[in-house]
Amino acid sequence: PNICKITVKSEGNGTVSITDYIGTSVNVLIGNRVEVEATPDEGWAFIGWYVSGSESPVSTDAAFTFITSENITLTARFAKLSDIIIRSGGNGSVAFKNASGNSIPVLPGAEVTVIATPNEDCDFVGWFIGDSETPVSTEAVYTFTATENIVLTGQFSKRPVVTVQSAGNGSVSIKDTYWTNKAFLPGTEVTVIAKPYENCDFIGWFVANEESPISTDAEYPFTVTEDITLTARFNQRPVITIRSVGSGNVSFEDHSGTSIAVLPNTDVTVIATPNENCDFLGWF
């Protein structure tokens, strides 16, 4: 009557023992102090010690010490750990909130938080599982409940860059910026500005090796969807210079001075006025 039976069992992948005893079922004196120990296999975790019919553990300590009072069967429950792996897809980094590395084992039902940080001029697209094209979340900081092994990929996209350059006598700029190249969010409306120098004219905005302009407006608004380089082409206006040889004066019909820059294909009238007792010979 002063002896009770202590039995230990395992549920899941792990081993159990009774410290200082051989076997998993022993008879001990009532009132003795007994220690039982649970050791999970690799990839498994110890959940707790349970008695038959109870869903609440009597202890969550792998090494559990108690005073014997009656026959008891203790079951050590083990749970397979879920491997959570995170990867970066593109221009950015990924991390666990409370752990280092890119892979951690967690108990099923545990909450896991992953964090995506895009590089400069890049944007976070979403968290994807496997080859799925639909993200499980578009939040950079994503918290979920672990239920199984999972590989999460944080996808990033580089913002399209707008570059403007000048070909000829004029300056170019991106409106409301100090730059001639800048990254923008896709879908942003951007206006580029071309300013010809004095006596020059703007021809148009050109892309790559195209011979036809995409716009002939000096201020050209468009929606950014991808990297683009826009070249503003300018022309120097032709200069007409007149001079007099001999006794007479020369002038432009509508302009003062002896030299003017005009638009190509412009009609220009020049006037020769001989001095008294002289004759005009011709324009050369």
Side-chain angles (χ1 to χ4, degrees):
N2 294 325
I3 294 176
C4 60
K5 189 174 185 179
I6 308 299
T7 302
V8 290
K9 297 179 179 179
S10 67
E11 185 179 294
N13 288 27
T15 58
V16 293
S17 63
I18 304 172
T19 305
D20 297 329
Y21 290 90
I22 297 173
T24 56
S25 184
V26 297
N27 293 317
V28 298
L29 289 172
I30 292 176
N32 274 11
R33 183 182 296 272
V34 173
E35 181 185 62
V36 292
E37 188 169 0
T39 305
D41 290 348
E42 186 176 355
W44 290 71
F46 171 70
I47 302 298
W49 289 103
Y50 293 79
V51 295
S52 299
S54 175
E55 288 303 314
S56 298
V58 293
S59 176
T60 55
D61 296 328
F64 170 45
T65 301
F66 61 98
I67 304 299
T68 59
S69 60
E70 60 183 345
N71 295 340
I72 188 172
T73 297
L74 289 170
T75 300
R77 291 185 184 175
F78 301 94
K80 184 171 177 55
L81 295 173
S82 297
D83 288 323
I84 310 299
I85 299 172
I86 53 176
R87 296 172 178 169
S88 171
N91 299 293
S93 60
V94 294
F96 292 104
K97 182 178 180 180
N98 297 313
S100 59
N102 64 348
S103 176
I104 58 171
V106 297
L107 283 170
E111 279 198 344
V112 178
T113 298
V114 290
I115 302 170
T117 305
N119 293 345
E120 186 176 4
D121 291 333
C122 298
D123 297 293
F124 175 66
V125 177
W127 291 102
F128 294 78
I129 297 176
D131 297 326
S132 174
E133 295 183 357
T134 302
V136 292
S137 175
T138 55
E139 299 292 335
V141 179
Y142 171 45
T143 300
F144 62 97
T145 301
T147 57
E148 58 184 350
N149 294 341
I150 189 173
V151 177
L152 276 175
T153 301
Q155 293 284 4
F156 303 88
S157 66
K158 188 167 178 57
R159 294 182 185 177
V161 175
V162 175
T163 302
V164 290
Q165 56 190 24
S166 171
N169 297 305
S171 63
V172 293
S173 62
I174 300 172
K175 189 175 182 179
D176 300 326
T177 77
Y178 297 101
W179 314 104
T180 54
N181 69 310
K182 183 174 172 59
F184 293 90
L185 284 170
T188 301
E189 186 172 277
V190 175
T191 298
V192 291
I193 301 172
K195 291 183 179 179
Y197 296 151
E198 187 177 2
N199 294 328
C200 296
D201 297 294
F202 172 68
I203 298 173
W205 290 103
F206 293 79
V207 178
N209 298 317
E210 294 294 327
E211 288 303 316
S212 298
I214 60 173
S215 176
T216 55
D217 295 326
E219 290 199 18
Y220 170 49
F222 65 99
T223 302
V224 178
T225 58
E226 59 185 353
D227 288 351
I228 187 170
T229 298
L230 292 170
T231 302
R233 293 184 186 174
F234 301 90
N235 260 349
Q236 175 79 40
R237 293 181 184 178
V239 176
I240 311 298
T241 302
I242 55 176
R243 61 187 178 183
S244 170
V245 178
S247 300
N249 298 311
V250 292
S251 63
F252 292 101
E253 182 180 48
D254 300 317
H255 303 279
S256 60
T258 58
S259 181
I260 61 169
V262 297
L263 288 169
N265 301 314
T266 299
D267 285 336
V268 177
T269 300
V270 291
I271 302 170
T273 306
N275 292 345
E276 188 176 359
N277 297 323
C278 295
D279 295 299
F280 172 66
L281 296 182
W283 288 103
F284 297 83

